[in-house]
Amino acid sequence: VSATAELEDGYNIGLVSAEAEKKLAEYKVPKGYSVSMQGEDETINEAMGQVVKMLILAIVFMYLIMVAQFQSLKSPFIVMFTIPLAFTGGFMALLIAGIEVSVVSLIGFVMLVGIIVNNGIVLVDYINQQRLAGMGLREAIIDAGVTRLRPILMTSLTTILGLVVTALAKNAGTALIQPIALVCIGGLLYATLMTLFVVPCMYEI
């Protein structure tokens, strides 16, 4: 049996599928029969699974590249603390905008991983340079915070301003990629501010 129906405002395939699964969980399937969700819901779940795998691989490869760059396991580990901060900001942006997590927004998180670690790299690398020059731990951290503040803010602001138009646009052409822009803006705003506190603290610890 097949049927078509229009979704009410505020609903999407994911929400409808979740409701259907709740109802199906209460239904006693006759012996020899099984129930499965297919069609668009199945396609979306598969796509989200693939993007999550991409995200995990991106984080792993990024860590390995930083290990090669820093010649250390500790420095890249400190830089990686910017990623959960960025994810928090990205989720907050989606929540404020009232947009559900989707395949498109997950792609935004993959992009965000590559963008946000730059701030941590700039900060940690400068601290390392100052310590090699003979500066004390606390002094090197404070000096890096003061000296690298402007480059970090400028790098983040240029990316944020470049995405503002896409994030605020209401036309059909940009609606599809709007979640990507929102995730990147939210993640960059929150993580940039928090990086200036969290990364120095993690470095000293």
Side-chain angles (χ1 to χ4, degrees):
V1 178
S2 64
T4 56
E6 289 186 7
L7 297 178
E8 293 180 13
D9 288 341
Y11 272 82
N12 58 31
I13 294 296
L15 294 173
V16 172
S17 297
E19 290 293 327
E21 285 175 357
K22 284 180 187 176
K23 298 294 181 184
L24 287 171
E26 300 167 5
Y27 177 70
K28 208 167 186 181
V29 182
K31 193 175 179 181
Y33 291 85
S34 63
V35 179
S36 64
M37 301 291 287
Q38 295 185 345
E40 193 171 345
D41 178 67
E42 184 182 27
T43 304
I44 290 170
N45 287 335
E46 285 178 359
M48 290 191 81
Q50 292 294 325
V51 176
V52 169
K53 287 177 185 175
M54 285 167 53
L55 184 58
I56 294 168
L57 282 171
I59 292 170
V60 171
F61 285 137
M62 198 169 302
Y63 180 76
L64 294 174
I65 290 167
M66 285 192 291
V67 167
Q69 178 187 341
F70 284 110
Q71 297 292 307
S72 162
L73 294 174
K74 286 182 181 178
S75 293
F77 182 73
I78 296 166
V79 173
M80 296 299 274
F81 273 89
T82 58
I83 295 174
L85 297 174
F87 280 14
T88 303
F91 283 120
M92 284 169 63
L94 291 177
L95 183 66
I96 292 167
I99 297 173
E100 291 82 12
V101 176
S102 63
V103 175
V104 177
S105 61
L106 284 178
I107 292 169
F109 283 106
V110 175
M111 290 173 57
L112 189 58
V113 166
I115 298 169
I116 199 60
V117 293
N118 293 336
N119 293 339
I121 290 170
V122 166
L123 203 56
V124 170
D125 185 56
Y126 193 82
I127 296 172
N128 288 343
Q129 287 178 27
Q130 296 299 82
R131 291 193 71 194
L132 286 171
M135 193 176 284
L137 175 61
R138 179 63 68 89
E139 290 76 15
I141 291 171
I142 294 170
D143 186 52
V146 174
T147 309
R148 298 290 92 187
L149 175 63
R150 188 175 178 182
I152 287 172
L153 291 178
M154 285 176 66
T155 303
S156 296
L157 281 172
T158 50
T159 309
I160 289 166
L161 291 172
L163 292 167
V164 163
V165 176
T166 305
L168 299 177
K170 297 292 183 183
N171 58 66
T174 55
L176 184 64
I177 58 171
Q178 189 180 38
I180 295 177
L182 286 169
V183 165
C184 289
I185 289 172
L188 280 168
L189 279 173
Y190 186 78
T192 299
L193 294 174
M194 293 303 294
T195 294
L196 297 170
F197 297 97
V198 174
V199 170
C201 289
M202 288 307 303
Y203 194 103
E204 186 168 24
I205 291 168

